[in-house]
Each structure stands twice: as C-alpha cells, then as structure tokens.
Amino acid sequence: MADVAEAILRSSAIAAQFGIWEERDFDAGRCPMRNVLDRIGDKWTMLVLMALAGEPRRFGVLLRMVPDISKRMLTQTLRLLERDGLVTRHVFATTPPSVEYRLSPLGLSALEPLHALAQWADANFATIRASRARYDDGLARTDP
Amino acid sequence: MADVAEAILRSSAIAAQFGIWEERDFDAGRCPMRNVLDRIGDKWTMLVLMALAGEPRRFGVLLRMVPDISKRMLTQTLRLLERDGLVTRHVFATTPPSVEYRLSPLGLSALEPLHALAQWADANFATIRASRARYDDGLARTDP
DNA sequence: CTCCTAAGGTCTCAAACTGAGACTATTGGT
DNA sequence: ACCAATAGTCTCAGTTTGAGACCTTAGGAG
C-alpha cells in the first residue's frame, strides 16, 4: 500500500526534525520537545484537554469526567495548562463560588494533533491488545 | 481565520469521541484512551519513537540520543513498545552481543500523529514560553 | 595466564511524584 | 445551630523514577 511509502517519508521528516532539535542542544529550557511534549504528554493532560473539547467545564465536572484523576492532580494539571496558556480559568461569584475552565484559542489549536493521536489509538487498540497478549504468552512460556 | 471554525468542528468531533469512550465505560482494560494514550503519552515513549524514526538504532545509541533517559527507563520503555508491537528487537551474535531496535509497520504508522504533535510543539513553543513567563510574573506580584 | 574492554542489561537505594482522603472557607437553606 | 455545596489545600503513605554499581561473555593486550 501507499501507506508504507508515506510513512517512510514522514519517518525521515521526523528524523530530520529530531536532528534539528539535537543540534539546538537539549538544554531543558530550549528544546520544544522536552518543554511541550513532556507537558502535554503526561499522564492526565491529554485527557483533560479532551474533556474540555466540547464546552467549558467546571472543576467538579472535570473531576467526574476524567477517570480516576484525583483532585490534587486535576488542580495541578489545570494550573499548568493555565500557565501554558492552553486553558483559561473563570470564577463565578456564586456561593460557593464555582469555577469554569475553557480552552483558549491555543488550547483549541492543540486539539487537532490530539485528535489525530486519539484516532490512531482507537484504530489500533485491537492490534495492540493482541500484540500484548501474544507477548505475555511468549514470556510465560519461556519461564518454567 | 478559518482556523478557528475548523478547530471548533474538530472540537465537537473530539467531544463526541470522548462521549463514546465514556459510554464504553472507562474500565482500564477496555478504554483505548487509557490503554494507548497512557502508554505512548508517558515521559519517554514519544521521544524514543521519534529517535527510531529515521533508522534502526542500537541500545547504546538510543541512550545517547534521548536526552537524560536512564538505562533503566530506556529498557523499560523499549520492552513496553515491543510488547505493544510498535518496535521489534533484533539481537546480533557479536561479542558482546549487540541489539538493534526498529519500528514495526504499526510503529511507523504512529509517526504520523506524533509528527503532527511535534510540529504543533515546535510551532507554539515560543507562545507557550511567553505565557509561562507572564503567568509566573503575575504570581510573583500577588505574593508580597 | 590475567586483565581490560565492549554492549546491553539488571539491581539497589534514595529521591521525587502521585493518590486517598481528611480538612478548610463561605453562605444559603431547614 | 447545623448541614450542604464548590473548589480547593494538606498530609501521609505508596508508587515510580533516577543514579550508578554490578553482571556476563569473549577477544585482544601484556
């Protein structure tokens, strides 16, 4: 299929980009990969961004939407997203005050690559599960 | 710009997908998001996949390429990628034996969304850094 | 002989991070 | 006087990670 050829082309594009990053030296403050991917590629950030995709959400709603996240980590994730300018925070003076989080234009722009990743995950989940099962079987067999 | 309109469309697409995932219940074994994104979205996996983009690499080369990764985490990351079928491992009977890792077709197919993400990171790094600086200033000012 | 080196790991221990859940503040309702 | 609701914060225990010592195997140097 043409897919493979395309993948190889992409592959060299990525390799080239990696090379550029390498040259710029990987100093933690200067490398986009370490700064940006480390942040959005952590355990909860993608999930939170996706939970905010449809509409603004309140803290408590996010807490219920994102599976197994703790208050502590939700707070921290939202603070970092706010700091990076992907999310804005709005307090409403109700009692008790409620707080709404929404994606900024920058956050919105992050959805495109995230969506691509999510689709890939969805499309390949079955294959990956099968591979895991095969691998685990193989390991089990070499053991006794 | 049309970008915003597109982003909003994407936004609802993602929201819809999130909804589907929610319905399928978030049981850890069944949800593609938690299974796939949690894995490739961890601290090192993306970096390792990108390091493998251009050509197969040996363990030691990867260790030098991926900044600050430890042997321990490189081994673990590669094992998990192998288990998931994104990477294959080839041992050469030299002395001492050398080991080469290469992307499988599945791993190759993951490069596309990863590349999109990397480009996003690269394109928005400056903006994000500026936002961080602004945020940190603001916090510093409210403090004393 | 004996020692040194190479590659690709594993193992141990300390340090860093995370999760569970108790606790806080504010105010309207009963 | 007391309870409920929201959005956190705080503490402590448990988990994960990082740094670096150690292991294996065979060829080459001395």
Side-chain angles (χ1 to χ4, degrees):
Chain A
M1 7 169 164
D3 284 357
V4 173
E6 271 180 47
I8 288 171
L9 280 181
R10 270 197 306 277
S11 164
S12 14
I14 295 181
Q17 197 163 48
F18 202 87
I20 289 166
W21 284 335
E22 250 180 326
E23 280 157 29
R24 251 191 249 170
D25 99 286
F26 276 117
D27 172 56
R30 218 170 297 287
C31 169
M33 218 169 1
R34 304 210 53 196
N35 268 273
V36 181
L37 297 188
D38 257 31
R39 180 117 333 285
I40 76 164
D42 80 352
K43 186 164 184 188
W44 299 113
T45 302
M46 288 195 206
L47 267 358
V48 171
L49 284 175
M50 288 180 190
L52 289 170
E55 52 182 303
R57 311 273 188 186
R58 293 190 13 214
F59 185 87
V61 174
L62 289 172
L63 198 60
R64 268 167 262 129
M65 278 185 84
V66 179
D68 297 338
I69 197 170
S70 65
K71 286 180 163 197
R72 198 179 164 288
M73 290 314 292
L74 180 56
T75 303
Q76 177 179 314
T77 302
L78 287 168
R79 288 287 177 281
L80 289 174
L81 284 172
E82 197 192 350
R83 181 168 105 108
D84 283 359
L86 302 202
V87 156
T88 56
R89 180 171 179 277
H90 309 271
V91 182
F92 296 98
T94 57
T95 57
S98 61
V99 181
E100 187 184 85
Y101 293 91
R102 64 173 67 208
L103 292 178
S104 72
L106 183 61
L108 218 51
S109 81
L111 289 181
E112 177 170 36
L114 249 36
H115 189 203
L117 207 52
Q119 282 191 318
W120 184 89
D122 216 25
N124 295 284
F125 182 48
T127 306
I128 288 173
R129 283 233 297 184
S131 176
R132 278 179 199 172
R134 226 178 305 118
Y135 185 92
D136 293 347
D137 270 12
L139 278 194
R141 225 179 279 125
T142 62
D143 220 0
Chain B
M1 7 172 164
D3 284 356
V4 173
E6 271 181 46
I8 288 169
L9 281 180
R10 271 197 306 277
S11 164
S12 13
I14 295 182
Q17 196 162 51
F18 202 85
I20 289 167
W21 284 334
E22 251 178 324
E23 281 157 29
R24 250 192 249 170
D25 99 287
F26 275 118
D27 173 56
R30 221 168 295 286
C31 168
M33 220 169 0
R34 306 210 53 196
N35 267 273
V36 180
L37 296 188
D38 258 32
R39 181 118 333 287
I40 75 165
D42 80 352
K43 187 164 183 187
W44 300 114
T45 302
M46 288 194 207
L47 265 2
V48 170
L49 285 175
M50 287 179 190
L52 288 170
E55 52 182 303
R57 309 275 188 186
R58 292 187 17 210
F59 186 88
V61 174
L62 289 171
L63 197 60
R64 268 167 263 130
M65 277 185 85
V66 179
D68 296 337
I69 197 170
S70 64
K71 284 180 164 198
R72 198 180 164 288
M73 291 314 293
L74 180 56
T75 302
Q76 177 178 315
T77 302
L78 287 168
R79 288 287 177 282
L80 290 173
L81 284 172
E82 197 192 349
R83 181 168 106 108
D84 284 359
L86 302 202
V87 156
T88 55
R89 180 173 178 276
H90 308 272
V91 182
F92 296 97
T94 56
T95 55
S98 61
V99 180
E100 187 184 84
Y101 293 91
R102 64 174 66 207
L103 293 178
S104 70
L106 183 61
L108 219 50
S109 81
L111 289 182
E112 176 170 37
L114 248 36
H115 189 203
L117 206 53
Q119 282 191 320
W120 184 90
D122 216 23
N124 295 285
F125 182 46
T127 306
I128 289 174
R129 284 232 295 184
S131 175
R132 278 180 198 173
R134 226 177 305 117
Y135 185 92
D136 293 346
D137 269 13
L139 278 195
R141 225 177 281 126
T142 61
D143 219 1

